[in-house]
Amino acid sequence: MFAAYLSVMLVTIAANTFSGGAAVTRFGPVMATLAPAMETAGVPQSWLTFPIGTLKLAGAAGLLLGVLGVPFVGTAAAIGLVLYFVCAAYTHIRVGDYGQTFYLAAGVFLPLAVACLVLQIAAQRV
């Protein structure tokens, strides 16, 4: 159980750190895909620093604190990431944008966040 917990948490932390960092710094290779998707969804690029990048980085930091022994912060971070990616998926569904960024948010990041939440809650009960 601990191996699954640690593996999922570390992958999610790494993914959200990269994604949040790429948003904040407007990393070129990521922006090539992200900018058109944001335009289609009606999300201004000024939101890349806050709230998009900042929330992903804060979620990753919270999950890391959860791994390091502050379980309620880890749970709160997992809840925040689940809500963030549900809203991101809804934003794309709302405008009918089913491109690469939608599937990445709904098919990778959201399930990772849900898995973190479930494993974080399970770890607190043990």
Side-chain angles (χ1 to χ4, degrees), residues 25-78:
T25 62
R26 298 172 197 240
F27 184 54
V30 172
M31 288 304 296
T33 304
L34 190 58
M38 290 179 67
E39 185 175 327
T40 302
V43 177
Q45 286 194 20
S46 62
W47 286 15
L48 281 171
T49 302
F50 182 82
I52 293 170
T54 306
L55 289 176
K56 289 178 184 180
L57 290 171
L63 290 178
L64 181 61
L65 285 173
V67 169
L68 295 176
V70 189
F72 293 111
V73 173
T75 303

Side-chain angles (χ1 to χ4, degrees), residues 20-124:
V24 169
T25 62
R26 298 172 197 240
F27 184 54
V30 172
M31 288 304 296
T33 304
L34 190 58
M38 290 179 67
E39 185 175 327
T40 302
V43 177
Q45 286 194 20
S46 62
W47 286 15
L48 281 171
T49 302
F50 182 82
I52 293 170
T54 306
L55 289 176
K56 289 178 184 180
L57 290 171
L63 290 178
L64 181 61
L65 285 173
V67 169
L68 295 176
V70 189
F72 293 111
V73 173
T75 303
I79 291 169
L81 285 172
V82 168
L83 292 173
Y84 174 86
F85 288 112
V86 165
C87 291
Y90 170 75
T91 300
H92 288 281
I93 291 169
R94 177 180 56 84
V95 296
D97 177 27
Y98 299 104
Q100 185 177 13
T101 55
F102 167 74
Y103 290 110
L104 193 59
V108 177
F109 282 94
L110 179 57
L112 281 172
V114 170
C116 283
L117 178 58
V118 169
L119 290 169
Q120 189 71 36
I121 290 171
Q124 288 177 7

